[in-house]
Amino acid sequence: MATPASKTSKRKWPAIVIVVVTLLLLVYVIRQWDRTPRTDDAYVYADTIDVVPEVNGRIVELAVRDNQAVKQGDLLFRIDPRPYQDALARGNASLVAL
């Protein structure tokens, strides 16, 4: 014959299992949510390095690829020299005119 205490403990087991499974599922969902990238605000976080040249101009040659390892002194890009050659020619012409 079953006692009232054993009936109560038999009824508690399904509830305990449901609570434990729910908690495990919640932990899994939260971990997956943190691992996958989100674009809720359209922001992407990445390590970047800004390259700021001493002169400005149009880039006519890009000597590196994405994620390529480079060393100090390696050519990264070539800036169009025509505006500077033109300015040099105008400066030389104005010197000759003097």
Side-chain angles (χ1 to χ4, degrees), residues 59-76:
I59 295 176
V60 293
E61 177 188 351
L62 189 60
V64 293
R65 312 181 302 276
D66 285 342
N67 300 319
Q68 175 184 343
V70 294
K71 298 178 201 150
Q72 184 176 355
D74 286 352
L75 178 67
L76 301 178

Side-chain angles (χ1 to χ4, degrees), residues 5-20:
S6 66
K7 283 185 180 179
T8 305
S9 69
K10 286 182 182 179
R11 286 188 205 159
K12 285 184 182 178
W13 277 108
I16 292 173
V17 169
I18 289 173
V19 168
V20 169

